Amino acid sequence: YQKVIDGKNHYYCEHHKPENTVFVSGVKAKSELQKLLPLLSIFGLIAVLVGITMFIQSDFSLMNVMMLSMAYFFLVFGAFKVINLHNFVDAYMTYDILAIKSKTYAYIYPFIEITLGVLYFFYIGGVYRDIFTFILMSIGTVGVWKALQNKDEIPCACLGMVFTVPMTKVTLFENLFMAVMALVMVLMYLAMGNMAM
């Protein structure tokens, strides 16, 4: 929202706009994109890492794509959380349904992610790892969904508060996509009759 004061343009968010402001769609869209740029850049980095690793392994199967995507996702995002652990915990406890009840869980969560990253990278754990991941990411999805439903203006703790990223539908999609991918791998393992690899 824009308002001209003394010949100068002043911009405001929707919740703090004074009277007689004018909505400027281009400004708002650009601002939201800039805020999400660190998160989108990380997604791009993960995609590049997955592509390079697949090329080195000469394995372009769907299972390998999902395994490597999970591995790099958990390793990269977990590392960001560990780097700024205390601030991550404070932010995570504002919306995650388990972290709200247990600060200990909030502290160990980044290390759970890193452990899962290692397991996925080395193909360890099979269907049991995927079931655990599905449950973990589903719980995270519920917390994000509730925060969005309440229209809470809180930062997403996904990058450990190293970068301040707003809680948006992108965060919801991220959690939901990981949960769905874990479920797909569970079904693929069951279809192959192979419970662990």
Side-chain angles (χ1 to χ4, degrees), residues 6-69:
D6 296 329
K8 295 181 180 179
N9 293 326
H10 295 262
Y11 299 99
Y12 305 88
C13 69
E14 184 174 1
H15 297 284
H16 299 95
K17 60 180 179 179
E19 294 182 3
N20 302 321
T21 53
V22 178
F23 176 64
V24 185
S25 60
V27 172
K28 185 175 181 181
K30 183 178 181 181
S31 176
E32 290 178 353
L33 180 60
Q34 288 177 338
K35 289 178 181 178
L36 290 173
L37 193 57
L39 184 60
L40 298 176
S41 298
I42 297 299
F43 288 154
L45 172 63
I46 290 173
V48 170
L49 290 173
V50 169
I52 292 174
T53 307
M54 287 171 54
F55 180 78
I56 293 173
Q57 296 175 337
S58 296
D59 184 353
F60 301 95
S61 65
L62 176 60
M63 179 63 82
N64 197 40
V65 172
M66 292 190 293
M67 293 284 282
L68 290 175
S69 297

Side-chain angles (χ1 to χ4, degrees), residues 14-186:
E14 184 174 1
H15 297 284
H16 299 95
K17 60 180 179 179
E19 294 182 3
N20 302 321
T21 53
V22 178
F23 176 64
V24 185
S25 60
V27 172
K28 185 175 181 181
K30 183 178 181 181
S31 176
E32 290 178 353
L33 180 60
Q34 288 177 338
K35 289 178 181 178
L36 290 173
L37 193 57
L39 184 60
L40 298 176
S41 298
I42 297 299
F43 288 154
L45 172 63
I46 290 173
V48 170
L49 290 173
V50 169
I52 292 174
T53 307
M54 287 171 54
F55 180 78
I56 293 173
Q57 296 175 337
S58 296
D59 184 353
F60 301 95
S61 65
L62 176 60
M63 179 63 82
N64 197 40
V65 172
M66 292 190 293
M67 293 284 282
L68 290 175
S69 297
M70 288 289 213
Y72 283 121
F73 173 89
F74 284 126
L75 289 172
V76 172
F77 280 82
F80 271 106
K81 293 176 177 68
V82 170
I83 289 172
N84 200 13
L85 186 58
H86 296 299
N87 287 335
F88 159 75
V89 169
D90 290 339
Y92 199 48
M93 290 180 68
T94 62
Y95 64 88
D96 185 82
I97 59 176
L98 290 184
I100 289 173
K101 298 179 179 179
S102 173
K103 192 171 185 177
T104 301
Y105 172 75
Y107 268 106
I108 66 173
Y109 183 82
F111 301 98
I112 294 175
E113 284 196 337
I114 292 173
T115 300
L116 284 172
V118 173
L119 293 178
Y120 275 108
F121 194 82
F122 291 105
Y123 273 58
I124 300 172
V127 70
Y128 305 107
R129 171 205 59 224
D130 297 330
I131 292 173
F132 178 81
T133 300
F134 173 71
I135 295 171
L136 185 73
M137 300 311 296
S138 296
I139 292 171
T141 300
V142 171
V144 174
W145 180 79
K146 283 187 174 182
L148 291 175
Q149 286 295 107
N150 294 334
K151 297 183 179 179
D152 296 333
E153 293 187 8
I154 57 177
C156 175
C158 50
L159 291 177
M161 303 307 293
V162 175
F163 297 102
T164 303
V165 179
M167 180 74 69
T168 66
K169 291 181 180 179
V170 174
T171 311
L172 180 65
F173 174 79
E174 167 198 330
N175 280 268
L176 188 60
F177 181 72
M178 296 295 286
V180 170
M181 193 154 50
L183 180 60
V184 169
M185 284 192 280
V186 169

